[in-house]
Amino acid sequence: MRQLRESGHEVVVVPTEAALRFVGAPTWEALSGRPVSTSVWSDVPTVAHVELGRWAELVIVAPATADLLARASAGIADDLLTTSLLTATCPVLMCPAMHTEMWQHPATQANVSTLQRRGVHILPPDSGRLTGADSGPGRLPDPGTIVELGLSLVAGTASMAADLSQTHVLISAGGTREPLDPVRFLGNRSSGRQGVALAERARDRGARVTLVAAHLEVPAPDGVSVIEVGTAEQMNVQMQAQAESADVIVMAAAVADFRPVDVQEAKIKKSGGDPPPLALTRNPDVLAGLTAIRRPGQVFVGFAAETADADQLLVAARKKLVDKGCDILVANDVSEGKVFGDSTNEAIIVDTQSVEPRSTGGSKSAVADTILDVVVEHLGLSG
Ligand code: CTP
């Protein structure tokens, strides 16, 4: 509330009865400079519950408890907050915070999905220390994150559309590892951040998301089905199995093109002279294999990590779009260690429906949104 007021916004606090056990009404009144009420029966002449909903340009519910999510998803209107939620037509941002078990309970997740389908924006909780000795997902994100997201919803710069509801989005992320022996592997520098951001944003836009994850350096998002794999062949098997029911398939993973011909059962020892030659064999091309057996209506997104200047990048992107048989291709320049492991990305997007490439950049979450906007165009759901 302080951050919003200090940046010039008017804030009305609508606590629940339970919230006042944590912070009392006088504190809220002093900080907001306005009276505070929990009930529809106070201030009756102004019909506050309708008035507040109409007046607000943004509603933030932080923290949103399991109980509040349940009441809001059922449309229950038994206090001033829940009645205001039913009358609000502006963006609504809910920030769930609770113990991990409550957050992961199917009832809570079902309520979150219902609210998302109706266009409510859910900021998933952070992982970390909770109120007891426990820790895990359930922590309220820091106020700066909440305010920034809330204001971007008002400005229309963050998408809160549930434009991927009824859609199954299958995403591969991370980097495969091809074992040489029980200790060593051939790997790559993919952290999985862009794939995870895509999974998170697709979920927030209402999709059912399956994430096939290879050695992620970041936690997989909540509310997403995760299938862990290690090698390219394992990724191929899982992607093939899941692709049948998927409407959108995104290959964000860095897949090893080659694997050692023989995997040694015992650790390779340095004693015994020259190192053994490393014989490699081709791995399946997962993406090309999936597009070859696509069913009508499916949308495929490929990635291309290239060490190239802007012109070469565009040529390579267009070639890979065709070679891989995908609808959309996201290409980035990864020379000099750029992109891998960063929280930001810069890429061009080419697709089969547009003549001109699009550029995108910023946080991996913002890039994910731009990619999903193009996906929505291809699904024919836009407009
Ligand atoms: N890909 C895949 N299976 C592979 C290799 C790549 O599905 N064995 C996918 C990647 O996930 C990505 C796209 O194909 O979406 C392009 O990957 P990239 O490594 O850039 O291209 P390659 O096909 O490996 O070609 P090259 O490395 O020769 O540029």
Side-chain angles (χ1 to χ4, degrees):
M1 194 187 70
R2 276 219 177 94
Q3 288 194 18
L4 283 165
R5 288 211 72 199
E6 280 166 11
S7 52
H9 301 282
E10 285 181 80
V11 183
V12 174
V13 182
V14 184
T16 58
E17 277 294 328
L20 294 180
R21 291 173 182 249
F22 292 88
V23 181
T27 308
W28 290 123
E29 292 183 346
L31 290 176
S32 67
R34 285 169 174 268
V36 156
S37 167
T38 62
S39 161
V40 284
W41 303 116
S42 49
D43 201 11
V44 172
T46 64
V47 201
H49 62 292
V50 180
E51 207 44 53
L52 276 174
R54 286 187 187 145
W55 169 84
E57 289 164 278
L58 171 68
V59 176
I60 296 178
V61 185
T65 60
D67 178 64
L68 188 281
L69 295 170
R71 287 193 292 144
S73 84
I76 290 172
D78 57 357
D79 61 9
L80 188 56
L81 175 58
T82 46
T83 44
S84 300
L85 284 170
L86 286 185
T87 55
T89 53
C90 60
V92 174
L93 171 61
M94 293 195 182
C95 310
M98 62 198 76
H99 287 278
T100 304
E101 294 82 352
M102 297 173 80
W103 169 243
Q104 291 175 341
H105 194 282
T108 305
Q109 289 300 314
N111 292 331
V112 165
S113 300
T114 303
L115 290 164
Q116 283 176 321
R117 271 199 303 280
R118 294 190 196 130
V120 171
H121 193 94
I122 305 280
L123 177 63
D126 280 351
S127 277
R129 270 300 294 274
L130 304 173
T131 43
D134 51 341
S135 62
R139 222 179 128 82
L140 189 69
D142 61 74
T145 307
I146 298 171
V147 168
E148 191 187 339
L149 179 58
L151 294 179
S152 64
L153 290 173
V154 179
T157 49
S159 173
M160 58 165 299
D163 51 4
L164 288 170
S165 61
Q166 318 291 327
T167 309
H168 179 199
V169 178
L170 172 63
I171 299 171
S172 72
T176 65
R177 290 183 185 172
E178 311 300 320
L180 285 157
D181 68 12
V183 182
R184 306 174 182 99
F185 57 83
L186 296 178
N188 60 68
R189 299 184 57 203
S190 176
S191 67
R193 282 187 172 78
Q194 186 61 72
V196 164
L198 276 156
E200 215 162 50
R201 293 302 303 137
R203 175 204 63 193
D204 292 350
R205 292 168 72 155
R208 172 162 81 86
V209 180
T210 306
L211 183 68
V212 175
H215 309 287
L216 300 182
E217 278 175 25
V218 287
D222 289 318
V224 159
S225 314
V226 181
I227 301 172
E228 289 191 6
V229 295
T231 64
E233 283 186 304
Q234 289 166 358
M235 177 165 279
N236 195 35
V237 168
Q238 292 301 334
M239 290 299 287
Q240 296 259 358
Q242 296 296 322
E244 219 172 285
S245 69
D247 305 292
V248 178
I249 294 123
V250 182
M251 274 300 295
V255 187
D257 290 320
F258 303 100
R259 68 176 182 279
V261 174
D262 295 313
V263 181
Q264 302 302 319
E265 274 173 30
K267 187 183 165 196
I268 302 166
K269 297 300 235 182
K270 68 173 171 291
S271 59
D274 291 338
L278 184 55
L280 298 174
T281 183
R282 283 288 279 265
N283 268 329
D285 188 317
V286 183
L287 180 56
L290 292 173
T291 58
I293 52 164
R294 66 193 296 159
R295 56 175 174 76
Q298 283 185 319
V299 174
F300 282 87
V301 182
F303 275 72
E306 307 283 345
T307 46
D309 66 25
D311 291 342
Q312 293 167 334
L313 187 63
L314 183 56
V315 172
R318 290 208 163 114
K319 182 170 179 327
K320 238 168 224 180
L321 179 73
V322 176
D323 289 351
K324 299 267 176 178
C326 42
D327 305 281
I328 301 164
L329 194 118
V330 184
N332 40 24
D333 172 17
V334 293
S335 46
E336 292 156 18
K338 276 188 287 219
V339 178
F340 288 122
D342 286 357
S343 58
T344 59
N345 199 355
E346 225 175 277
I348 54 163
I349 305 174
V350 292
D351 72 291
T352 52
Q353 289 181 358
S354 323
V355 179
E356 292 298 322
R358 288 171 237 221
S359 307
T360 171
S363 67
K364 286 190 171 167
S365 201
V367 170
D369 261 324
T370 312
I371 296 167
L372 294 174
D373 288 344
V374 186
V375 166
V376 170
E377 283 173 24
H378 279 255
L379 284 168
L381 302 177
S382 58

